[in-house]
Amino acid sequence: MQSNGGVSRFEVAAQAPINLVESGPVGGVIGAAAIGALVGEDNLITLDIGGTTAKASLVERGDVRVTSEYHIERSPLHAGYPLKVPVVDVVEIGAGGGSIAWIDPAGALKVGPHSAGADPGPACYGLEGSEPTLTDGNVIAHRINPEYFLGGRIRLDVERAREALRPIADALEVSVEEAALGVIRIANANMIHLLKLVSVRRGRDPREFSIVAFGGGGSMHATALARELRVPRVIVPPAPGHFSAWGMLASDLRHDVVQTRFVRAEALDRAASDEIWRGLEERLLGTFADERVPPERVTFARSADMRYAGQEHTVNVPIPDGYDPGETARRFHNLHDQLYTFRLSSPIEFVNFRLTGFGTVRKPELARIATNGDGSAARKGVRGVDFDELGRHEATIYERSLLGAGAELEGPAVVEEPAASTVVFPGQRLRVDEYGNVIIETGVN
Amino acid sequence: MAVAPARDIDPFTVEIVKDSLVAIGDEMFVALQRTSKSTIIYEVLDFASGLTDARGQLITQGNGVTGFLGTLTFAVSYTLEKFGADGLAPGDVIITNDPYTGGGTHLSDVSLVVPIFYEDELVAFSASKAHWTEVGGKDPGSWTTDATEVFQEGLQFPCVKLYEAGRPVQGLIDLIEANVRLPDMTLGDMHAQAASLRLGERRFHELCDKYGVDVVLGSVEALLDYGERMTRLELARLPKGVYEAEDTIDDDGIGNGPFPVRVKVAISDDEFVCDFTGTHPQVPGPVNCTLTGLHSGVRTIFKAVTDPHIPVNEGCFRPLKVICPPGTIFTAARPAPVSTYWETMEYVTDLVWKALAPVVADRLPAGHFLSVCGVVVAGLHPDTRDLFLLVEPQAGGWGAARHRDGQQGLMCVGDGETYVIPIEIAEARYGILVDQYALDPTDAGAGRHRGGRGCVRDYRAVADEIYLTATFGRHKFVPWGVDGGSAGSRNEVRIFHEDGREVVLGKCARYRLVKDEVARLVTGTGGGWGDPRERPVEEVIDDVRNGYVSLEQARAEYGVILDPDTFEVVRLERSES
C-alpha cells in the first residue's frame, strides 16, 4: 500500500520507500470510497478513530483527495516535514480511545494527545494502565459493554475505570459520571474540530456529506459528531475495526509521475501537450511492466498544476485525453475560484504535468448478507446509557451479526460487535443494507 | 439546536467554548490566507487575525510572523478610544495603519477592525493586520531603506471607517484605488481581510446562539484568566532579579549611526518589567520603531521565556509591563519614517533575550543573526521582458544553547514561520542564477557548543540589469556569545562587479548590477556558548571534517591542531591538559 492510495509490488516499493508513508490510514480512505460507490454515496467524510489518533479525509464526487503538499508530523507547534510526493490528504489529531484525560496546571480538563494505547491501555483493561482514558469514560457512560469487549474475551473492570477518573471528578467537584461525560464531550469537541478542518476549512459544507466511520472507536463517536455538524447520514461498514486492511485490498496498483515545465497556456497546443504526456506514459508503462502488468490493464489520468502568471501556488486541474485549451482554462478558473474565492484575468501558466497510472487488479467483493427485516432477533437486552444533553435513556442493545439485510431500528440503542459499538442516539434511525453496512439517518437537516 | 444549561457554566462547556474561540482565530487566519491576492500574505504569511473582547483584550490570535504577536489589541483599543462603544454600529469596518497611535507599525501593515454586536450589545471585536503589497509612497512596494519622513512611505489610514453599518465608504475606497500602484491587488486584499473578519463575527454569533451569550462571555473571561494563570506559573519559575543588556544598532540606512539601545529587565514574583530608558532618540532614516512594535517585540520574548505553547491571549500578558520614554528609536513620534521598523523591533526582542540568556539558559540560546535580511531584486525577465520582483527574507545562524550547538540556516526570531524561496523557483521566475547556496564557514561562533552557521547565497544577474534593495542589520555589531563563547559573524551583502571591484554593505536601495555581476548575500553565524577549549576534541575533529570549523579556527579558538590531510591530532593547546 502506498501513500497515493494505490498498491505496488515489493520490488517497486523498495526503490522509493517514501511512497509508503501513512499507507495504513490511506487504506481506510480508499476502502471508504469503495463503500461509498457500493451504497451510492459519493461525497464522504472518512472518520477513523483508533487508540491514539482520529483521522479524517474527504472523498468528493467519488474522488479521493491526493495532495503533493503533505507534511508529516505537522502541528500548530511543529513545522513537520514536507513529503512532496502524492499522499492521500489525511488529517489527524491526538484523540482516540486510549487518549488520557488530565488536568493541566491551571486546572483545565484536557483529553489527549498522550495516549495509553493498547498497552498499558485504559485503566479498565486491568493491565498496567491506571490513567483515565476516553475508553474509561465510555465504559462509565455505559456506551461500551464491559462484558462484551472483543466479544467478551476481555472483561473490562468498571471499578478501575471509576477509580482512575475519580481524581478528575474531585478536582472539578463533579460526580464520576459527570466527569466521564465531560471527557467524552471534550474528546468529541476535538473530533468535531478535526472534521471541520477537512470540510468547513476547505470551503465544504459537512451537511452535504456522509460520514463513513471505522476504526475501533469510529462508530462509538460518529453519531454524536454527525448530530453536532448536522451531517445527515453515518455509514458503518462491516468489521469497522479492521476496515483499513480491507481498504488496502480494495486498491488498484497506482503510480504517479510528474514533469515540471513552465509554459504559458497560450504557448501550449494539443500536439505539444500530448508529447509531454506520452513521454510520461512511456515511463509509467515501464514501471508497470516491472510489476508484470501488461499495457492493456493500465489506465491513465492526466492533470496539470496551473496558476495565474505571477502566483506561487498552483491548482491541480484534471485534463482529459485530447487537451482542449479553452476547456482547460475554464476548469482552472472555476477551481481557482472554488479554492481561493477569486479569479483573475492574468495569463495562465502550466507548472507541473502529472500522470497517474492505474493497474487494475482483482479485488474482493463484499458478500451479501441474508435478508431479515426483523431486528428483534438481534436484541440482547436493555441498558441505561448516558446520551449527554439528551439525558440517560434505557437503550436497546443489539448484536450486529444477528441483524439481517433490511433490518431497521430506532435509537436509543447500541449495536454491539466484537471490536466496535455503534451508539444510536434518540431520534436517530438505523438500517442494515444488503452488504451488512449499518446506515444511520441522523434526522438533522 | 442545543440549549445552554440553565445552571452555572459547567467546566466542560467552558473548555469547549474556549477551544472553539481559539479555533475561530485559526479559521479566520486560514480564510484570509486562502482569499488574499498577495504572495506576502498567502505564502509569506505576513499577517495576523483574531478576536478581542469588548474592551479590546485579545482573546485569540492566529499569526504567521511573531512580529505581529499581540498587536491586534492595540488597533482595537485605539478604535474604542477614538469612537467609543456608542460610536460603533453593527456592520462597521474600521481601517488603521497609523504607526504612532495604537496598532500601527509601518504603513504597509494595515489593520481592519469589526465590532461584533449580539442582541444590540457590543460583545467582542474581530480584527486582523496584514502586510499589503502596495500602499503607495515613493517606491514600488512602499517600504524602502532611504525614506526620511512617513509621507514618502505610502497612504496613512488614521483609524477611519471603511464601512459604515454595512455600506462601503466608496469615497475612501476610490481614494485608495487612485493612490496605489497595484489597485487590483490592494483592494483584493482589503476585501479578503474584511471577509475574514465577517467570518469571525459569524462564528462568534454561532457560538452565542448555541451556548448563550452569557456562557460565551463567561468562557472568554475564563480563557483570559487561564492564560494569566498558566503564564504566572511559568513566571514563578524564572529567577527573580534585575538583568541589564546593551547593544548597538548599525545605522539608519542614510548615513547616521551607530545608535546605542538598552534594557533593564526586572523580574519579581508577580511582574516582568522591561525598561528601555536610555535608548537612543528617534533617527532620520526609516529604521524607527513605534510603540506597537516595541510591545510586540517584548511580547515575543516574554512568550519564549514563559511558555510559547500556551494559546496567546491578553491574560498571558497581564504580568508584563513595558517602560520607554517617548521619542526614542523604539517609540518614535510623527513624522519619523518607519518603513524598515522591523530591523529595530528585532533589537527589542534581542535585548531582553541577551539580558536573560545567562539566567534562563534552559529556554534561551546565545545571540543569533537577528536581522530579517530583507532583499528585493527587481528587473525585466530576460525571457518574457516582464517586470519581476523578488522579495524574500534570508535564513541565518542561531546561537548555541547551553547543551547543544546552534541551529543552522533558520529564519530570524521576528519572522516566525516564513520561508526562503527555493533555488529552482528563484531561477525560473526571476532574472538571476543562483551560483551557490551554502552554509557560510567564516571563523566565528566558537564555544563548548558552537553557534549555528549562517548561509551564503549568490545571485548572478542574467537580466541586462537588476536593482537590489537590501537591509541587513547586525552588519557592524555581531551576534553575542554567552559564558565564554565567541561572538558570531556579521550579515553582509558583497557585490562583485565586472571590473573586479568588490563592494561590501549592510543596506542599499536600488543598487544597480549589470548582467553577470554577482550579489553575495551572507548571513551571520550565531554566538557560541561556553569556553571553546572545553569542546571535546572528537567533536572539533568532526567539525573540521564536516567543514563547520576551519583548521585555523580549530587551532586558534579550540586549541586543537590537526594534520590537514589526515585530521589526526598533532598537538593540543589547552590549559587543563
Side-chain angles (χ1 to χ4, degrees):
Chain A
M1 189 74 201
Q2 305 179 103
S3 333
N4 65 9
V7 288
S8 162
R9 284 190 190 275
F10 289 111
E11 310 82 66
V12 175
Q15 290 166 14
I18 194 171
N19 287 319
L20 307 179
V21 172
E22 301 281 15
S23 57
V26 163
V29 179
I30 302 300
I35 289 288
L38 207 59
V39 305
E41 294 273 342
D42 59 0
N43 284 335
L44 307 168
I45 297 173
T46 71
L47 175 66
D48 177 358
I49 302 176
T52 304
T53 61
K55 305 181 183 73
S57 189
L58 210 64
V59 177
E60 217 171 1
R61 286 182 290 280
D63 286 334
V64 170
R65 199 182 136 91
V66 178
T67 173
S68 294
E69 300 294 321
Y70 196 83
H71 288 65
I72 49 170
E73 294 183 9
R74 182 170 225 179
S75 75
L77 302 176
H78 237 268
Y81 302 93
L83 287 187
K84 296 291 178 187
V85 297
V87 181
V88 170
D89 196 3
V90 180
V91 181
E92 80 174 28
I93 57 165
S99 290
I100 293 170
W102 53 288
I103 304 267
D104 78 7
L109 175 63
K110 307 278 176 194
V111 181
H114 293 292
S115 170
D119 183 12
C124 60
Y125 280 18
L127 303 173
E128 300 295 301
S130 58
E131 301 206 69
T133 65
L134 176 58
T135 295
D136 293 309
N138 276 317
V139 168
I140 293 168
H142 290 187
R143 295 188 185 183
I144 291 177
N145 179 354
E147 309 291 327
Y148 194 62
F149 199 72
L150 283 182
R153 279 188 294 153
I154 295 180
R155 277 195 54 175
L156 299 181
D157 188 334
V158 184
E159 207 33 57
R160 281 197 54 160
R162 297 178 61 89
E163 265 170 46
L165 227 72
R166 188 155 292 122
I168 286 182
D170 290 348
L172 300 174
E173 298 174 355
V174 296
S175 69
V176 168
E177 286 75 15
E178 283 175 301
L181 276 183
V183 168
I184 295 170
R185 283 180 61 196
I186 285 175
N188 279 351
N190 293 343
M191 294 176 197
I192 294 269
H193 181 61
L194 169 71
L195 296 179
K196 284 183 175 172
L197 284 180
V198 299
S199 58
V200 179
R201 285 283 178 89
R202 295 192 175 136
R204 311 300 198 280
D205 187 341
R207 291 174 295 189
E208 294 166 7
F209 289 78
S210 297
I211 292 176
V212 179
F214 50 94
S219 58
M220 173 95 50
H221 294 273
T223 46
L225 307 181
R227 264 169 56 80
E228 171 102 16
L229 286 173
R230 312 187 87 68
V231 171
R233 193 166 297 117
V234 176
I235 302 163
V236 184
H242 315 106
F243 185 70
S244 294
W246 182 82
M248 293 183 182
L249 298 174
S251 308
D252 284 317
L253 290 157
R254 170 177 171 152
H255 295 289
D256 296 88
V257 277
V258 187
Q259 166 81 57
T260 300
R261 192 179 292 182
F262 301 101
V263 196
R264 286 286 170 94
E266 67 262 22
L268 185 77
D269 61 15
R270 183 161 168 179
S273 89
D274 278 350
E275 194 185 315
I276 294 170
W277 269 302
R278 266 200 296 275
L280 296 175
E281 286 176 7
E282 287 303 313
R283 276 171 60 188
L284 276 192
L285 285 173
T287 306
F288 281 110
D290 292 344
E291 297 190 317
R292 298 188 295 282
V293 180
E296 62 272 16
R297 274 183 31 220
V298 177
T299 56
F300 291 114
R302 299 172 175 180
S303 70
D305 296 339
M306 302 169 68
R307 66 184 171 203
Y308 292 114
Q311 283 184 329
E312 200 63 57
H313 67 280
T314 59
V315 172
N316 183 259
V317 183
I319 297 183
D321 291 2
Y323 166 67
D324 174 345
E327 171 62 16
T328 301
R330 208 178 53 77
R331 281 191 187 202
F332 167 75
H333 287 300
N334 287 341
L335 280 168
H336 194 278
D337 199 15
Q338 185 189 1
L339 282 168
Y340 298 102
T341 68
F342 65 89
R343 48 182 78 207
L344 299 175
S345 52
S346 321
I348 303 172
E349 184 177 55
F350 282 82
V351 178
N352 295 312
F353 294 80
R354 294 181 178 274
L355 185 71
T356 302
F358 297 96
T360 44
V361 296
R362 227 161 45 86
K363 293 184 269 294
E365 283 177 18
L366 277 186
R368 288 168 201 261
I369 62 168
T371 303
N372 180 2
D374 178 14
S376 61
R379 282 177 71 143
K380 300 201 290 192
V382 171
R383 169 166 97 224
V385 173
D386 221 313
F387 289 94
D388 208 353
E389 78 265 26
L390 295 184
R392 200 178 169 84
H393 291 269
E394 291 298 306
T396 315
I397 312 300
Y398 294 88
E399 171 60 41
R400 180 166 179 178
S401 59
L402 299 179
L403 287 171
E408 293 192 15
L409 56 93
E410 273 180 43
V414 178
V415 177
E416 296 180 349
E417 60 192 296
S421 296
T422 301
V423 176
V424 188
F425 276 69
Q428 297 184 338
R429 299 180 58 84
L430 177 150
R431 66 188 159 84
V432 180
D433 77 0
E434 54 190 322
Y435 301 103
N437 293 303
V438 159
I439 299 171
I440 300 113
E441 305 288 341
T442 59
V444 293
N445 48 31
Chain B
M1 186 66 56
V3 180
R7 59 200 160 92
D8 287 344
I9 318 174
D10 67 81
F12 314 113
T13 303
V14 172
E15 280 315 301
I16 291 167
V17 175
K18 270 164 59 184
D19 287 347
S20 303
L21 289 165
V22 173
I24 292 174
D26 289 343
E27 189 178 356
M28 290 168 63
F29 184 82
V30 174
L32 179 54
Q33 183 190 4
R34 223 161 52 83
T35 55
S36 161
K37 290 188 175 182
S38 298
T39 49
I40 194 156
I41 294 177
Y42 64 72
E43 299 283 352
V44 184
L45 307 183
D46 195 353
F47 70 101
S49 56
L51 298 171
T52 78
D53 71 2
R55 289 167 293 170
Q57 301 190 87
L58 188 71
I59 300 171
T60 174
Q61 173 173 340
N63 49 279
V65 293
T66 48
F68 282 174
L69 200 63
T71 61
L72 300 176
T73 296
F74 300 104
V76 176
S77 306
Y78 189 62
T79 299
L80 269 172
E81 191 183 315
K82 178 162 177 180
F83 292 97
D86 296 339
L88 298 169
D92 282 355
V93 180
I94 289 86
I95 183 168
T96 175
N97 69 348
D98 186 327
Y100 314 103
T101 55
T105 40
H106 61 166
L107 298 182
S108 305
D109 290 339
V110 181
S111 296
L112 298 192
V113 174
V114 163
I116 301 176
F117 290 80
Y118 194 78
E119 288 163 356
D120 298 330
E121 192 89 30
L122 179 66
V123 289
F125 289 90
S126 61
S128 68
K129 175 172 181 164
H131 184 127
W132 288 10
T133 301
E134 240 299 315
V135 290
K138 82 182 179 70
D139 288 328
S142 305
W143 69 265
T144 174
T145 54
D146 62 354
T148 53
E149 47 182 15
V150 71
F151 309 105
Q152 298 164 349
E153 298 178 317
L155 276 173
Q156 300 184 58
F157 306 117
C159 197
V160 293
K161 288 191 182 177
L162 181 67
Y163 284 70
E164 278 192 33
R167 294 158 59 107
V169 179
Q170 198 55 45
L172 176 57
I173 293 170
D174 291 350
L175 188 124
I176 296 171
E177 185 171 10
N179 280 282
V180 301
R181 293 178 181 81
L182 301 165
D184 186 49
M185 186 178 267
T186 299
L187 294 183
D189 286 346
M190 185 193 80
H191 288 301
Q193 214 173 331
S196 82
L197 297 188
R198 295 250 164 71
L199 178 72
E201 180 186 31
R202 190 159 74 241
R203 293 286 182 258
F204 197 88
H205 280 165
E206 287 168 7
L207 216 51
C208 293
D209 289 342
K210 176 162 182 187
Y211 294 100
V213 65
D214 293 342
V215 169
V216 172
L217 295 183
S219 300
V220 165
E221 287 306 314
L223 180 62
L224 296 177
D225 290 345
Y226 174 79
E228 178 177 358
R229 227 165 28 248
M230 289 291 276
T231 303
R232 285 196 187 281
L233 286 171
E234 294 292 333
L235 185 61
R237 294 174 46 199
L238 295 179
K240 308 297 174 283
V242 177
Y243 311 96
E244 298 189 48
E246 294 188 350
D247 214 316
T248 311
I249 294 175
D250 293 346
D251 54 54
D252 67 350
I254 57 170
N256 305 293
F259 314 117
V261 290
R262 52 179 54 94
V263 74
K264 191 194 288 183
V265 183
I267 304 177
S268 60
D269 288 334
D270 50 6
E271 272 190 338
F272 186 102
V273 184
C274 298
D275 183 348
F276 295 91
T277 305
T279 285
H280 192 276
Q282 66 190 64
V283 300
V287 300
N288 294 294
C289 174
T290 59
L291 197 62
T292 301
L294 171 66
H295 278 273
S296 297
V298 176
R299 286 178 167 207
T300 300
I301 190 69
F302 179 69
K303 210 79 180 77
V305 296
T306 52
D307 185 350
H309 297 176
I310 304 167
V312 58
N313 67 47
E314 203 67 25
C316 300
F317 302 120
R318 282 176 186 160
L320 177 64
K321 277 211 170 62
V322 179
I323 300 169
C324 188
T328 72
I329 197 168
F330 293 153
T331 50
R334 183 179 297 276
V338 294
S339 49
T340 59
Y341 80 99
W342 67 82
E343 286 292 346
T344 299
M345 182 176 73
E346 302 281 0
Y347 271 85
V348 171
T349 304
D350 199 53
L351 273 173
V352 180
W353 184 340
K354 188 177 182 179
L356 296 184
V359 292
V360 192
D362 57 331
R363 292 224 161 129
L364 297 175
H368 76 312
F369 75 114
L370 190 63
S371 173
V372 171
C373 295
V375 171
V376 179
V377 182
L380 295 182
H381 197 285
D383 299 340
T384 60
R385 313 303 300 169
D386 289 342
L387 175 74
F388 68 81
L389 203 62
L390 176 162
V391 184
E392 65 170 358
Q394 300 295 328
W398 279 58
R402 187 170 52 168
H403 295 302
R404 61 182 294 179
D405 293 342
Q407 299 285 336
Q408 334 216 66
L410 283 187
M411 287 294 148
C412 70
V413 63
D415 235 354
E417 192 184 354
T418 52
Y419 299 87
V420 294
I421 299 178
I423 306 290
E424 294 80 359
I425 289 178
E427 292 188 338
R429 294 170 63 95
Y430 310 113
I432 51 163
L433 277 181
V434 182
D435 284 356
Q436 64 163 333
Y437 191 27
L439 293 176
D440 175 57
T442 303
D443 290 348
R448 166 63 191 86
H449 296 285
R450 57 172 181 77
R453 287 298 176 181
C455 298
V456 51
R457 187 164 166 123
D458 284 7
Y459 285 155
R460 176 181 296 273
V462 177
D464 293 339
E465 53 176 15
I466 61 175
Y467 290 88
L468 173 76
T469 296
T471 161
F472 282 43
R474 280 231 179 278
H475 176 61
K476 297 171 184 163
F477 299 92
V478 295
W480 38 273
V482 175
D483 198 18
S486 312
S489 58
R490 68 178 186 176
N491 303 306
E492 66 177 32
V493 178
R494 193 172 283 265
I495 311 241
F496 298 90
H497 284 289
E498 256 187 331
D499 57 10
R501 260 183 318 133
E502 212 175 301
V503 178
V504 181
L505 43 85
K507 296 188 181 72
C508 61
R510 302 171 304 280
Y511 191 104
R512 180 170 180 264
L513 287 83
V514 299
K515 188 167 177 168
D516 269 335
E517 291 186 330
V518 172
R520 173 167 297 167
L521 313 173
V522 185
T523 54
T525 286
W529 191 301
D531 182 354
R533 283 167 200 265
E534 288 173 15
R535 186 168 177 86
V537 174
E538 315 79 69
E539 289 183 27
V540 178
I541 295 172
D542 277 351
D543 287 339
V544 174
R545 281 181 186 281
N546 288 326
Y548 294 139
V549 168
S550 68
L551 284 163
E552 173 51 26
Q553 193 187 16
R555 184 193 67 74
E557 294 201 76
Y558 291 96
V560 178
I561 293 108
L562 298 179
D563 182 299
D565 298 318
T566 63
F567 300 118
E568 278 170 11
V569 178
V570 175
R571 198 170 71 251
L572 296 181
E573 289 181 355
R574 298 184 153 196
S575 53
E576 83 272 31
S577 56

